[in-house]
Amino acid sequence: MKLLTLNFLTCARKTCKTNPAAFPLHPREAELEQIEAEINPLLIQNLLPRINWEVLKTISQELGLPSLPESAPDSEDFMTEEGEPTQTLKDLHTLLMEMNVQNGKLVCGSCEHEYAIKEGIANFLLPSHMV
Amino acid sequence: MEYLIRFVQQHETFRKPEVEALAELLKIKFRWVSYSDDTPFAIIDFEDTENPTKAARDLVSRSILVSKMYELWGRGTDFDSLHADIRNRTEHIWPDYQASTFRFEFDSYHGTHPNDEKWRLIESFSYMKFTGRIVMSRPENQFIVFEDYKLDAPKPHNVFFGREVAEGGRKAMNKYNVKKRHYIATTSMDAELSLVTANMALSAPGTIAYDPFMGTGSFPVSCAHFGAAVFGSDLDGRSIRGKKGRNVASNFKQYGTSDLYLGGVTADLTNSPICSGRFLDAIVCDPPYGVREGLKVLGHVKEKLQQEVILSNGVPAHLQSDYVPPKKPYSFVRMLDDILDFSAIRLVDGGRLCMWMPVAGAKEDPEATPEGLEEPAKEEPEAEEYAIPQHPALALVAESKQHFNKWSRRLITYRRLQDSEISQEALTAYGMQRLELQASNQTGETTRANDLNDFRKKYFEGFKNP
Ligand SMILES: [Zn+2]
């Protein structure tokens, strides 16, 4: 599961939906794997406004990855004048598209429920008493 | 110049919406001059286009249901009127083509000619004075005589003449043929309609699509073919994980699109972990019809099992690693409604929901005919059509039907409206209705999967009249 996905996942419990603490989910005991991917400037440019920068900073920090700039970069800073990807874009690409969470847990900050990740697939099925 | 689209003569009701979707995606303006589901030949005209040839190429290059695209040099109801029309439309450009290598071909729908007659007909075009060499392979210009016959008619009722300018995207069907796919299941949708669905979803580089019932990943794989980043979920994690290295991820590897596969999660639509923000460009799905097991969602109908279950060793059951959460029956209609609401909350403005559903379920209550009345006439439809589900935030874009032997299904495509386009009154009323539906479902303790799912019932009755 690419790290980008974590920006779109929250606790599955209905009772947590209104609690800001339920998002983002906190990765625990996460095994990361970097898998090289072709850089996709258009995708990152389009998704950047749909990503909460504070949330991304939190996820990145909790995974022990290099810290991100204080505020979200401007997508105008993604390409050099020669049309080459800038370091800013490359770093974001590495973080969002090349970092994969293979195993571990995602923990809700509101109800503390743990969702297991195995072989890159997170399991969000809830027992009856949480539905 | 007008253009002739040579469609494949199948999946007819998908053809127009597919081309229209591609035009929307590429911001190409055109109008239909003529179109009918009964013929493979349609005519379009581009509007406000500086380079119509380029527009023609762009428009159909990834279309699955377009075979080829032609400049329309003339049309008529017989060869005399065709020749007159060709003169009228194109006499001024003939000199540009007179020296080039070329070839003539026939494309006769429901009709055929003996070879000598073909030569005689081709001779009748000699007034254009094409003096270039005739070559069979890779000519500079390929001209086609199109004939449209009614079944068994001796003569065509429409004839066209065109110069080939572009080829459609049907080659992708071969690449995505499920027979050659690494990982499939019996429910995997065929390559042709998966790719059409991806086109309907406006899949393109820089967009993100989600499939809430991904199964073996037919739709995500097709959307990624057109450059969209994709992710999905399924209630059954085993379908994502697969077996012995054959899984959804390995399909992306096979097609060289792993970079676009963001991941798959095991999840239920009614208790979804997908954030509620407006971040998806497309939602694409073929929801389960529940034919084999009835539809399920998380939860339990028995009240005491809605409590936390503690095992005899004092450990909560759900913390066991082999824990399988219980599931309860789920009505098909309710599910469709949930999909629409889910989509309205998460699609960006102009984003699309492409959802497959069966056309009909069983009649509501076959025993309801009062005694003493005659049996209904045999021509009566065997099953009741499901209404197309509606949502105030979603505008219906297209409805296309695929027919099978005993049943049919349809692809419904919606566009997420801008908030300013949505009637607040309708939205409020819709919200109230949903709350009522959910409340009534909470108390449905005795409901069985059969009662909940008309389609499943009909399936086991063999789609016959009771
Ligand atoms: Zn929670």
Side-chain angles (χ1 to χ4, degrees), chain A residues 11-13 16 22 108-113 115:
Chain A
C11 185
R13 296 179 71 175
C16 286
C108 172
S110 157
C111 70
E112 291 176 11
H113 188 65
Y115 300 98

Side-chain angles (χ1 to χ4, degrees), chain B residues 195-232:
Chain B
L195 289 161
V196 168
T197 308
N199 270 337
M200 292 299 293
L202 311 181
S203 302
T207 67
I208 179 167
Y210 169 69
D211 181 349
F213 306 96
M214 77 191 301
T216 59
S218 300
F219 291 136
V221 151
S222 300
C223 295
H225 169 68
F226 295 119
V230 293
F231 70 118

Side-chain angles (χ1 to χ4, degrees), chain A residues 22-38:
Chain A
F23 179 68
L25 297 170
H26 304 286
R28 296 262 167 85
E29 299 154 36
E31 285 172 29
L32 288 180
E33 188 182 348
Q34 186 170 356
I35 301 170
E36 210 175 300
E38 198 183 323

Side-chain angles (χ1 to χ4, degrees), chain B residues 247-320:
Chain B
N247 50 44
V248 172
S250 74
N251 279 344
F252 285 93
K253 204 170 274 176
Q254 179 185 354
Y255 297 122
T257 49
S258 297
D259 295 358
L260 294 168
Y261 178 47
L262 305 179
V265 299
T266 310
D268 174 24
L269 188 75
T270 55
N271 292 277
S272 174
I274 309 300
C275 285
S276 324
R278 307 268 310 273
F279 71 97
L280 291 170
D281 295 288
I283 293 170
V284 184
C285 63
D286 184 16
Y289 311 147
V291 166
R292 252 164 269 129
E293 299 162 319
L295 294 172
K296 296 284 168 65
V297 283
L298 290 179
H300 208 292
V301 291
K302 291 202 183 103
E303 202 157 329
K304 72 167 197 256
L305 288 172
Q306 288 168 11
Q307 310 303 317
E308 183 166 2
V309 177
I310 308 288
L311 299 176
S312 55
N313 61 5
V315 177
H318 71 273
L319 296 181
Q320 303 292 108

